[in-house]
Amino acid sequence: MQKLETARQLRERIQTVLDTVGREFEPLSDEQLRWKPAPDKWSIAECLQHLNLAERFYIRNLQHKADGLGLVQHAPTDQPLGSDWVGKSLRWAVDPQVKMKLPAPSMVRPRSDLDARKTLEQFRELQQLLHDLTDRLSYLDWNTTKIPTLFGNWLKIRVGDALLMLVAHTERHLAQAMRVKQTGKFAVN
């Protein structure tokens, strides 16, 4: 994989997520967004809130790296992407194709008393920021530049792996939210 092509593909995938959320979830009522298929299952809003909580941490750290670039940049340089065990492990754990369920760490578990509309708005804002950041981050070396993980400052992930992980994580929980919608057989208002 090459960095610039991967960045382009990631932006496309994020745009697909934004389009899907706008088409599938925006028309729903707050009650529909908060509806749970079972007491131990997440609602659509809870899926999005989980993403907001988890991804805000990573996006903030990526934003810090992008802010360090300064004002003057030339064309970004392309590079082949590498991955280490941290990146491979975290990307595997959130891959939408992996059927094994992993419990969300307590710090990124959604609250049940959330404001569904605000959660949806925050989700869209964070995804748009990630979309824009992906372009700016193309000026960094994605193999040597690292950010902390949710597991602590001692465990760092490469920028390239972090971006791939975040988009895969979003796609995983977007698919989960779509299953909730299909289970609920919602009529659009």
Side-chain angles (χ1 to χ4, degrees):
M1 288 191 297
Q2 290 294 117
K3 176 176 69 173
L4 297 180
E5 177 58 19
T6 301
R8 185 192 65 72
Q9 290 173 2
L10 288 171
R11 286 190 304 275
E12 282 181 6
R13 289 166 62 189
I14 295 166
Q15 189 59 54
T16 299
V17 165
L18 287 166
D19 294 345
T20 301
V21 167
R23 182 181 62 252
E24 300 291 337
F25 303 148
E26 291 278 339
L28 299 178
S29 69
D30 288 7
E31 182 181 341
Q32 290 170 321
L33 290 169
R34 286 192 303 269
W35 180 82
K36 297 172 118 181
D40 63 334
K41 302 289 183 189
W42 285 353
S43 67
I44 292 169
E46 287 173 322
C47 291
L48 298 179
Q49 177 66 8
H50 165 69
L51 289 167
N52 290 347
L53 293 169
E55 295 187 8
R56 185 176 291 123
F57 171 84
Y58 289 100
I59 290 171
R60 188 179 3 232
N61 282 291
L62 290 168
Q63 178 79 54
H64 179 72
K65 293 293 183 185
D67 289 347
L69 287 168
L71 298 174
V72 179
Q73 292 110 23
H74 301 285
T77 56
D78 208 2
Q79 69 183 119
L81 292 182
S83 189
D84 58 14
W85 70 270
V86 174
K88 288 176 185 174
S89 300
L90 291 176
R91 285 173 47 203
W92 177 85
V94 300
D95 188 313
Q97 304 305 315
V98 173
K99 298 301 177 199
M100 186 171 76
K101 289 184 178 183
L102 299 170
S106 60
M107 69 186 99
V108 294
R109 283 194 201 123
R111 296 186 341 245
S112 58
D113 63 340
L114 53 87
D115 179 327
R117 280 293 139 204
K118 189 174 180 181
T119 298
L120 190 58
E121 181 182 317
Q122 288 172 352
F123 177 80
R124 290 183 66 78
E125 289 172 2
L126 281 169
Q127 292 304 307
Q128 188 60 56
L129 178 58
L130 183 59
H131 181 277
D132 299 342
L133 265 177
T134 301
D135 189 43
R136 289 183 55 211
L137 290 166
S138 299
Y139 291 89
L140 294 174
D141 182 325
W142 284 14
N143 293 326
T144 60
T145 307
K146 295 184 176 187
I147 61 169
T149 66
L150 281 171
F151 303 102
N153 284 338
W154 61 273
L155 188 63
K156 296 189 185 280
I157 186 170
R158 296 174 183 198
V159 166
D161 282 330
L163 290 167
L164 289 162
M165 176 194 68
L166 288 173
V167 174
H169 186 231
T170 298
E171 291 168 339
R172 179 182 181 110
H173 288 291
L174 184 63
Q176 178 185 4
M178 288 298 296
R179 288 190 301 273
V180 172
K181 183 181 180 201
Q182 291 163 354
T183 303
K185 299 177 181 64
F186 297 138
V188 178
N189 296 339

